Structure formats: structure tokens, C-alpha cells
Amino acid sequence: MTVIRKTFSAPAAVFLLLALGSMAPLVLQPGSVAFWPGAQYSDLLISHLPNTLIAHDALFTWHQAPLWNPTILSGTPLAADPLAGLAYAPNWLAVLMPSALTFNLLLILHLAWAGVGLYKLSRAQGVGSIAAYAAGILFAAGTKFATHVALGHVGLVSAVSWTPWVLLAWRELFAEDRGGWIYRSALAGGVLGVTFLADPRWFLPSVLLAVAYGFFTLQSREERLVIGETLRRSVVAVVFILGISACLLMPLAELTQLSTRATITSSELDLFSLTPTDLLGSIVLRSGEPEQFVYFGITGLALSIVGLLQSKRPVRFWAGVALVAVLLTLGSSTPVYGWFQELIPGAGLLRVPARFLFITVLALALLAAEGLQAISEPETGTNSRIRMVLFAFCSMVLILNGALFLTRGFAPAVSTAPFVAGLIALSLVLARSKMIDNRRTFMLAWLFLAAFELFWVDVSILKPRPLADFKTDRGISNLTESVPGEFRILSPSFSVSALQAATYDLQLAEGVSPLQLRSYRDYLARALGFAVGEYSVTLPPVVDGGAALSVNGLNIELLELLNIEQIVRDTPWPATKFVHEEVVDGLYQYRLADARPRAWLEPRGEGEQGWQPVESMSWSPNRIELSTTGPGRLVLSEIYYPGWYVRVDGKMASMVVERGIFRAVDLSAGEHNVEFVFQPWMVFTGWGISLLTVVVLFFVVRRR
């Protein structure tokens, strides 16, 4: 592709420096993790880093493929988990070297990739070099990216960074008449497939934007493509989308259908949407929930308003995109999001409407590039209408922010950013007539103002905290004496984190995951006594900041069957149903005296009672080998999931699902060797398809 060739040149260097600047707090403290101001949690620590630690251990400790995650929710499929990111190639850097530094490096590189992509997209649309740099800065250094870096949304940041490249590929797919349409179709599909692998939640917005932009490109051609040619190119692109994404798409589809996410209601999908009042945050820095943070930058808004005044077709298209995206972010405040859920397949699984704001930011950045190009031209730069609009906008910003300062004060200092940016922008507007012969200087002044404003806000958003603070054992050192596969821990207050579990080889009965098996959720609800109500990412659900569980609601027998030996909480429980052991570093530790072992044999003869532990067991994440003497039913306190198979004495046997969640097998009389093996054909088939697609894509590109 002519637009994508020679990417790693001056723009790459510029946007790498830009990414380093916007991530300055993490660059200065590379062993730290970014947090939103005042936040206690980060998805990087809850999901991404623990998953890479588990994958690392699977490879280098157990010498197995990273297929199963034994550390949370009594076991979950790792290869099907999009938050594990194992299907996205750059994430394997973190698998090989799991650390805060590695993840910070990945985030920086993706921000640079996003900036280069939008720069090249702007250039492809006919914008000059300096204006294209402005578009890249407003997108890649934008506060929306910084917000999600602070939230630890590694997958989302990675996926969104591919959006400009998706648009570039789909632009060339339909804009070019020359030969090589198979190459362009394959690349357009491949880029969307990579976006899915980075984060499936961003795939649908990317597809919709790519289709809209492709249709716009078709309509902009002087000579229209015939319908047959258009369909042929689209079909090939879809084949490559499915082929590249198959390694995650197939196992994820299976997991989603079995998860609580498949039953999420429309009201729960609308939970993280914007309100019309939130949109005021685009010109006034406001504190609150990070998902509702909408500050684009006064400089960028001023330039995008000028862009809107232009009569070009791309301007009208991107204005429409920005408007539709804003309406989607408002959720149920308008009927648009409801129509979106009803009409678009898969929309019912998207849970955060506010993330459509990324599309708004991208569209506004492209409009701002058009605006900067316009005000730098001698014939339009001194246009009275443009100067009047800019003067009115900047004056409004100064008045609103000035009024807030008078009533609320100037703390924190970053709250003055809109006022300062508005004041400098107003000065540039007033100075334009005197700088008519210094076009380049005038454009660079706007460029540096945009970068300065966004860096100022970005640095205030990213609050680094040392990773070592979260890896501390905090009183759990005495819980690590058991070998993996021996006993589980229940921490209903989530006082033992997923990161600690992955670090110290602990196996937890609870956990935080957007994809929980419904069967396990229902079992744990009976065991812990909570109601199965609204969808919850935490299990058990967190209510008003804590898990509202009563000791009287516990079903001890069900907990014992889960192989739970110890319960750990931040607050005490009356020790009426279990033994209170000790308090270590503020953690109250209790013991279930009659916890079942990981595997046992239940007699099946009429009138027989009791159970017996197995004689020996060798545990690993993907393979569990046992020896026992029948007859009876061998019950393994491990979660049943498609892809688990059982062999008895070397021969395939029928697996039984015990009590709705456990793996089990019926044994005849005599001694038996039993092996439970995880061989998920959905994962293996998906990877086979993806690897074959990559090989085909390689040869298509090579022939090109």
C-alpha cells in the first residue's frame, strides 16, 4: 500500500516522542503502574498482568500451553479470555517478560502507532504535513487514551490504536482501481482481524466505522465501482477478518454463550453512558468517573469548529460520524443507542456506551486538521466569519472557566488548563492578521499549543504507583504452604488479589472477570447466599463497596466441596461454622476443618455411604492424573468446561458433570489410573485457521 509504506520515518519518530511525553509519569517511573487520580483499582493489575504471569508459568514452570487459568473462580479457560490477550502477538512480549515496564512499553508503542496512523490518514485525505501532525497529536495524546491507560485498559488502548490503520486500509480497498485488489482486500480484512484480537469489544465500532468510511470512499470516486466488484472485494476482506480472528473468535464465542455476559440486560448495558451534562466537560475540566471524562482540549475544539465551517465532503462525513458517536455515548438519553442494540448483531454484548467517544475524538482530530489547514491559508486565514467564530468560542471558554474559578477556586492547578489554552488560542486568533506572511510559524504555534495543553492534562491523569506495592504478600505467606492443586482459598472481600494469586501460586474460589460461567455463578450463589440478580463483573457481587455476605447465608457443605480450606476477609466473621486461625496484617483467616480434597471417590452401591480420598494425584493446569480403586464415582473438584476429556486406564471414558459444575467419571471395581486432559478443539481449530490465514496473507503481500 502506497499510504502505509515507509511508516517508520519522521512521523514515527515524532509520535514516539509524543507518546513518551504524554506517558511522562510512567517513563520517569518505569516500574510503576498508572492509576486514575484517587482510584484503588486498575485492570492491568486485576486481569492483564495476572494473566501474563499465569501464561508465563504455564510455559516455563509446567511446560504446557497456556490454556487454563486455575487461579480465580476455581478455574476458567485462559485461551478464550480476551483479557489474557494471548491471541494478540505484541502481548507475548509481556508473557515472556511480565512486568510493569513491559506493559508501559506496549502502551507507549501503541500510542505512537495511533498517532502515525492518523497522520497518514489525514495526509491521504489531502491535508498538509503540519495539519496532519496536529490530527495525530489530538488523537494519540488525547485525554481519552490517557484515561484508559490510567484505568489499565491495555487491550482497549491497543485495539483503538489500530483504528486509523483500519480506515486507511478500507480507504485504499475502494479508492484504487489499479491491480492488486486481492492484496488490498486481504490487508483490509487482516487489520480488522488484528483489532479483534487486541480487544473484541472494539471490533464492532471498528467494523461500523470501516463500513461507513468505505461507503463514503465509494461515493467519492469519480468512476463508481460496479456492485459485483464491490461485493467481491468485501467478501475477500470478510474471509480474512474471520481467518485472522478465528484463534480468539471461536473459543470466545463458546465461552460467551456459557457465561453470565450472554444474559446481560439492556439496562445493565447502559450503565456507563454519558449524560448531556457530561458533555460540558469538553470545555471545563470536571472531576468524576473516568469513563465520563470527555475533555478533548480547547485547542482541538477550536480548530475542529473551524474545520466544520469548510465545505469539503470529508468534513461533512466526519461531522456526521462525530455526531452519531456522541449520540451513542449518551445511551438511553436518546433512542439512538436502543436502535443500535436492536439492529446491529453483537451490540447487546457491549457494556460501556461512553467508549464510542474514541470515535468522536478521532473525527474531531481530522476536522481539526482541516481547520488548521484552513486558518493557515492567506485567503481563509483572515476570513471574518472564521475569526468571529473563533473569537466567540474562545471568549465563551474564558467566561465559563473564569466564572468557575471565582466560585470554586483554582485547585487543582490543572483545572486552569482550559482557561490558559483558551487565552492563548484567542491571542493567536487576534494575531493572525499580523502573521499572514508567517504561515508555517502560525501553524506550528497552534500545533505546540495543542500538544502542551494535552500533555498538561495527561500528566495530571496518570498517577504512577510502584508495582511492588501490589505484589506484597500482605499476610498471605502462610497461605502459600500448600502445593498447587491441593486446596483453594475463598476471599469474599477480595482481600487476596488476582495478582497475588498469580504471583504466589494461590487458587481462589472467587474472582473478577467480565466472563463468568453461569453454572459456577449459580453454584457460588448457593454456597455464599447471595441473590442471582444483575450482571456483575465481581463474583461474589460487590454492593456499596463490599461483598454483602452474611455468615448465616453460607452453605458450608457446598464450600467444602469446592476444596476451600481457608477463608480470608478484611473484616471478622463470627467463627460459628469454621475455625478462626489468626489475624495477619489486618486479614482475618478462617479454616474449614472438613474441606474435601481436590479429588475423592463416592461409592455408588446401594446402601453405601461415605467418600474416600484418591490414593495419589499429580496436578497441572491442563492435565490431572489420579490413581484410585473402584467401584464408585471419581469426583474432581475442578470446573467442567468443554474441551476437558477423561481417560481411564488409557482409554477414553464418558465424563459426568457432578452437582452442575464438577468433572467426574464412573469407575468399575479394581485399581484405575485416571487422566483428565484439557484439549479444547475450539482453540486448536481456531489457531490452525488463523495460522493458515497468516501464511496466505504473507504470500499475498510477498507477491505484491
Side-chain angles (χ1 to χ4, degrees), residues 79-114:
D81 185 356
L83 295 181
L86 299 181
Y88 183 58
N91 288 342
W92 278 86
L93 181 64
V95 172
L96 297 175
M97 297 180 292
S99 67
L101 175 61
T102 305
F103 276 104
N104 290 337
L105 176 61
L106 286 172
L107 289 167
I108 288 170
L109 292 176
H110 278 91
L111 292 180
W113 186 244

Side-chain angles (χ1 to χ4, degrees), residues 54 71-72 476 496-508:
I54 295 161
T71 61
I72 65 169
I476 64 173
V496 180
S497 69
L499 179 59
Q500 290 171 316
T503 302
Y504 295 100
D505 292 324
L506 302 178
Q507 297 184 5
L508 306 177

Side-chain angles (χ1 to χ4, degrees), residues 192-270:
L192 268 175
V194 169
T195 300
F196 181 88
L197 299 181
D199 193 328
R201 295 170 296 184
W202 189 247
F203 177 70
L204 185 56
S206 295
V207 168
L208 296 177
L209 187 57
V211 170
Y213 192 55
F215 182 76
F216 167 75
T217 303
L218 281 173
Q219 298 302 310
S220 302
R221 290 169 54 100
E222 293 182 2
E223 183 179 346
R224 302 292 174 86
L225 281 178
V226 297
I227 295 178
E229 178 68 14
T230 302
L231 290 176
R232 184 169 58 179
R233 298 185 184 194
S234 300
V235 167
V236 172
V238 169
V239 168
F240 276 88
I241 292 173
L242 296 175
I244 293 293
S245 63
C247 57
L248 179 58
L249 176 62
M250 293 180 66
L252 178 59
E254 180 179 59
L255 174 58
T256 301
Q257 290 304 309
L258 297 172
S259 74
T260 56
R261 192 66 174 248
T263 60
I264 192 169
T265 64
S266 58
S267 61
E268 293 164 338
L269 292 171
D270 191 39

Side-chain angles (χ1 to χ4, degrees), residues 145-192:
F145 265 125
T147 297
H148 287 277
V149 169
L151 292 173
H153 294 165
V154 177
L156 183 63
V157 170
S158 301
V160 175
S161 71
W162 280 93
T163 307
W165 298 97
V166 168
L167 297 174
L168 269 170
W170 282 76
R171 173 189 175 85
E172 289 214 356
L173 174 60
F174 293 118
E176 299 290 347
D177 275 330
R178 63 182 186 276
W181 68 269
I182 293 179
Y183 162 77
R184 295 195 300 275
S185 298
L187 206 56
V191 175
L192 268 175

